[in-house]
Amino acid sequence: MSENSSNRVQFSLLPDDNERLLALCGQFDDNLKHIERRLGVEVATRGNQFQITGSTVPVQVAAQVIHALYEATRNEQLTPERVHLALQEAGMAPAASANADSDQQSAVIRIKRGVIKPRGENQQTYLRRIQQCDINFGIGPAGTGKTYLAVAAAVSALEKEEVRRLILARPAVEAGEKLGFLPGDIAQKVDPYLRPLYDALYEMLGFDRVARLIERQVIEVAPLAFMRGRTLNDAFIILDEAQNTTTEQIKMFLTRVGFGSRAVITGDITQIDLPRGRDSGLRQVLDVLREVEGISFTFFTAKDVVRHPLVQRIVQAYEAFESGPGGRHD
């Protein structure tokens, strides 16, 4: 093994066994991509030759994990769970804590239909954290791009084969209305609540492609209640309008996240539509999970609004009113 000053490690895996190397890398190099995401490194391969680039400690840990996993291929089948456990045993914190705020390069999302560029520092930080953390929260007023950028990141991850499916969920609670009074079956009742997620998908993938992917269950758009009892592996999961989750619902959602998955939770704690007396799960999360390693929070304000200029002024006016002596105090 050799290392130079550019934080690059090069080594060969022996014996040179193509079947074991394929098992190590995983289908579509999924195992190596998992290591890259978790440790914030880049792994390049040619046959049994490996090169890892990144910060010094993550590079060393990645090399150790790859050697350990290659040794494991002698006697066992590598699964996403096995790769995850190897990373856990290495004792390395997720890359977000070391790299999320130190990486000042411009974050962009590339999808087949073009390039999506974040606007402003908060959106840049939000995207970098989505790329580096397994669970991310985007909290702030309407019009700040929280959901749109999350969907863009999900589409990019799907097109790069970093995940196998997209799952987009929303709580079916809006402005005090009751689902039972809406016309149609359950799918027709909840469809209007999920429309903003469909709109973002149609813009990035096209109507026909979205329809095909939904039919093949590669994309699933569903009310939050449909997530109960499931374990979501190898997926990019988005929970939108999370301010309308109860404390029980958001805990249920967060514990659905499985191996090889990433989750983004978005919401605006100033627009809660839960019945009076019910606490917002998103508000509770701010107290419970703020210090948990590997979970990131990005907070947006009125200055991040990218809609009509009047929307920004409206948000600012409400912020000033609610923080004043006659405003709402929670």
Side-chain angles (χ1 to χ4, degrees), residues 122-170:
N122 257 355
Q123 287 195 1
Q124 291 271 359
T125 300
Y126 182 53
L127 268 190
R128 284 196 295 269
R129 289 174 175 171
I130 288 175
Q131 292 163 355
Q132 295 166 336
C133 291
D134 288 338
I135 297 179
N136 299 269
F137 287 83
I139 300 172
T144 51
K146 305 181 302 296
T147 301
Y148 185 83
L149 289 175
V151 174
V155 169
S156 176
L158 182 67
E159 291 184 340
K160 293 177 182 177
E161 298 180 338
E162 294 175 353
V163 296
R164 299 184 186 279
R165 54 183 173 156
L166 307 186
I167 299 174
L168 295 80
R170 265 188 160 198

Side-chain angles (χ1 to χ4, degrees), residues 126-309:
Y126 182 53
L127 268 190
R128 284 196 295 269
R129 289 174 175 171
I130 288 175
Q131 292 163 355
Q132 295 166 336
C133 291
D134 288 338
I135 297 179
N136 299 269
F137 287 83
I139 300 172
T144 51
K146 305 181 302 296
T147 301
Y148 185 83
L149 289 175
V151 174
V155 169
S156 176
L158 182 67
E159 291 184 340
K160 293 177 182 177
E161 298 180 338
E162 294 175 353
V163 296
R164 299 184 186 279
R165 54 183 173 156
L166 307 186
I167 299 174
L168 295 80
R170 265 188 160 198
V173 177
E174 296 288 343
E177 297 173 0
K178 303 290 187 181
L179 286 177
F181 292 99
L182 297 175
D185 58 23
I186 183 62
Q188 292 169 323
K189 289 175 187 290
V190 301
D191 188 71
Y193 300 98
L194 304 170
R195 184 54 49 188
L197 299 175
Y198 282 111
D199 290 343
L201 287 173
Y202 292 151
E203 180 178 336
M204 295 174 202
L205 292 171
F207 185 88
D208 291 339
R209 190 176 176 206
V210 170
R212 290 196 302 270
L213 291 173
I214 290 175
E215 184 178 355
R216 290 164 46 199
Q217 298 185 338
V218 175
I219 294 179
E220 179 181 349
V221 186
L224 175 60
F226 288 16
M227 299 297 107
R228 187 172 296 279
R230 302 174 63 183
T231 300
L232 307 174
N233 293 322
D234 300 314
F236 198 117
I237 314 155
I238 298 174
L239 173 59
D240 192 32
E241 298 289 336
Q243 75 275 7
N244 289 328
T245 60
T246 64
T247 56
E248 296 84 4
Q249 285 175 326
I250 202 162
K251 181 181 178 182
M252 176 273 290
F253 173 82
L254 291 170
T255 54
R256 300 306 95 202
V257 178
F259 292 105
S261 290
R262 279 183 276 172
V264 179
I265 300 95
T266 68
D268 176 5
I269 56 175
T270 69
Q271 295 195 40
I272 297 172
D273 298 314
L274 289 168
R276 188 177 297 276
R278 299 301 301 271
D279 293 330
S280 168
L282 186 58
R283 282 189 173 171
Q284 186 190 61
V285 156
L286 295 177
D287 296 324
V288 176
L289 301 180
R290 284 285 287 274
E291 303 302 323
V292 174
E293 194 77 45
I295 297 178
S296 80
F297 289 82
T298 304
F299 295 92
F300 296 89
T301 64
K303 68 180 178 62
D304 299 306
V305 172
V306 292
R307 292 182 185 169
H308 192 290

Side-chain angles (χ1 to χ4, degrees), residues 55-133:
S55 300
T56 303
V57 174
V59 162
Q60 293 172 347
V61 171
Q64 293 169 6
V65 168
I66 287 173
H67 275 90
L69 289 173
Y70 190 63
E71 183 64 25
T73 60
R74 290 177 182 272
N75 304 309
E76 61 180 292
Q77 184 82 21
L78 290 189
T79 63
E81 292 86 347
R82 180 67 178 86
V83 176
H84 174 80
L85 289 173
L87 287 163
Q88 291 288 90
E89 291 167 1
M92 182 71 187
S97 60
N99 298 330
D101 294 318
S102 61
D103 180 7
Q104 297 302 316
Q105 294 182 349
S106 176
V108 297
I109 297 175
R110 289 179 173 83
I111 59 176
K112 290 181 179 178
R113 287 200 159 199
V115 176
I116 297 171
K117 297 181 180 180
R119 302 181 184 181
E121 184 179 347
N122 257 355
Q123 287 195 1
Q124 291 271 359
T125 300
Y126 182 53
L127 268 190
R128 284 196 295 269
R129 289 174 175 171
I130 288 175
Q131 292 163 355
Q132 295 166 336
C133 291

